[in-house]
Amino acid sequence: MQTILIIIGSIITAFIALIVYSRIKMKSIPLVADHKNILTLTDKNFQQQTKNKVVLVDFWAEWCAPCRMMAPVLNDIASELSGNSKVGKVNIEQYQSLAQLYKVRNIPTLILFKNGKEINRFVGVKNKEFLLNKIQSV
């Protein structure tokens, strides 16, 4: 019985150590500068910037590790898009009203807009090919 408790205790300790280690690693993911083609969206320019075009909008926060993981993917997408297709970003800490308006509950949330109207929504980390296919199919 005592051996079983020691084994269970060891497993729980190892699991907790793994969680702590992964959180430290996730927080150390560096911030990536936005590509020049990425639109910085605010509550004042959102309607204008999403009107008459297809825009993939990333709702993100600086403290969010998965959001930091998405930044290079969004930069790649922004560099490949042309014409009326764009990538935009909304910092939900600065523009909480936009996050509330579009009912963003988790981040990263990516919403695809066409002519200012939501046509698709993706939650979590997505790869470049998936997002490009969704944008190009509009």
Side-chain angles (χ1 to χ4, degrees):
M1 182 68 165
Q2 195 172 21
T3 306
I4 293 173
L5 290 176
I6 292 171
I7 292 171
I8 291 172
S10 298
I11 292 171
I12 290 171
T13 303
F15 185 68
I16 290 171
L18 180 65
I19 290 172
V20 169
Y21 174 76
S22 64
R23 285 189 184 258
I24 290 170
K25 287 297 265 184
M26 291 289 271
K27 286 185 179 182
S28 67
I29 296 172
L31 279 175
V32 175
D34 288 342
H35 188 275
K36 62 181 171 122
N37 293 345
I38 290 184
L39 306 170
T40 300
L41 301 172
T42 68
D43 51 0
K44 292 182 177 31
N45 73 0
F46 191 89
Q47 294 301 325
Q48 180 64 30
Q49 292 292 337
T50 58
K51 187 169 63 171
N52 299 324
K53 51 183 97 125
V54 174
V55 183
L56 177 66
V57 179
D58 175 29
F59 289 84
W60 70 286
E62 206 171 291
W63 50 263
C64 168
C67 299
R68 290 181 181 201
M69 292 168 52
M70 281 302 300
V73 173
L74 295 171
N75 284 343
D76 287 348
I77 292 170
S79 69
E80 290 187 23
L81 292 178
S82 60
N84 267 356
S85 298
K86 303 286 183 190
V87 174
K89 293 180 87 172
V90 174
N91 185 327
I92 64 161
E93 290 187 313
Q94 293 177 330
Y95 303 104
Q96 293 176 6
S97 59
L98 283 174
Q100 290 172 351
L101 177 65
Y102 291 102
K103 297 176 177 49
V104 173
R105 303 282 183 247
N106 301 304
I107 53 173
T109 292
L110 301 145
I111 301 178
L112 189 58
F113 290 88
K114 181 176 182 180
N115 298 324
K117 297 198 184 336
E118 178 179 341
I119 58 170
N120 215 334
R121 177 181 293 240
F122 319 101
V123 178
V125 176
K126 303 296 179 207
N127 67 39
K128 176 182 166 184
E129 292 74 27
F130 173 84
L131 294 171
L132 278 174
N133 285 338
K134 295 297 183 180
I135 293 168
Q136 292 166 351
S137 69
V138 174

